[in-house]
Amino acid sequence: MMRALIVSAIVLSLAVTALAAPMTKINIVVKSQTGKPVDRASVVVRFIQGHSIVKLGKAVRTTYELRTNQEGEASIPSIPQGKIRIQIIAKGYQTFGQDFDISEDEKTVNVTMNPPQQQYSAH
């Protein structure tokens, strides 16, 4: 009886582990067109859609908001794999936004920021 209970507990824990959503660590490197790091840029990373049918629980963080360091880098510790939206806002640059399909355990995303474009008026 006790042995059956232990075996059941082990099988249940393996099943829960197998159903856990695969996670990824994302490193974002933000630079200007001249290759200079863009520090203090606002970075928003949001999980949009996963590859697996596993439902994410409340304990799984799906959105991060942070700033780049002096080297223009920002690191997301773990977010579910799948379609990820990265948005970057930095003073003196066009806003960057793009969706990435990430299936690796660790991914480095290099972003080159563009200078602002001329504004036009129809009046």
Side-chain angles (χ1 to χ4, degrees):
M1 179 71 171
M2 186 64 146
R3 186 174 191 187
L5 188 62
I6 292 172
V7 170
S8 296
I10 291 172
V11 170
L12 182 62
S13 69
L14 290 174
V16 170
T17 304
L19 288 176
M23 303 295 278
T24 186
K25 179 181 178 191
I26 302 175
N27 298 309
I28 302 166
V29 180
V30 182
K31 295 191 176 186
S32 67
Q33 286 184 333
T34 60
K36 179 183 170 196
V38 178
D39 65 335
R40 307 274 311 142
S42 295
V43 178
V44 178
V45 178
R46 180 171 286 123
F47 171 78
I48 299 173
Q49 181 180 3
H51 294 173
S52 66
I53 59 171
V54 176
K55 289 191 175 188
L56 300 175
K58 290 181 181 179
V60 177
R61 189 165 177 185
T62 58
T63 301
Y64 285 88
E65 296 180 25
L66 56 152
R67 291 195 179 269
T68 57
N69 61 17
Q70 291 180 334
E71 288 80 37
E73 298 174 358
S75 295
I76 310 302
S78 81
I79 195 164
Q81 290 181 8
K83 190 180 284 188
I84 310 290
R85 177 167 295 147
I86 298 176
Q87 296 175 299
I88 302 172
I89 301 168
K91 187 175 182 178
Y93 296 95
Q94 285 182 2
T95 298
F96 172 87
Q98 187 174 339
D99 293 348
F100 295 88
D101 195 16
I102 297 178
S103 58
E104 298 93 355
D105 291 336
E106 190 168 336
K107 173 85 173 172
T108 298
V109 177
N110 294 303
V111 176
T112 302
M113 300 295 284
N114 294 318
Q117 289 189 351
Q118 188 73 25
Q119 292 186 357
Y120 296 97
S121 174
H123 302 285

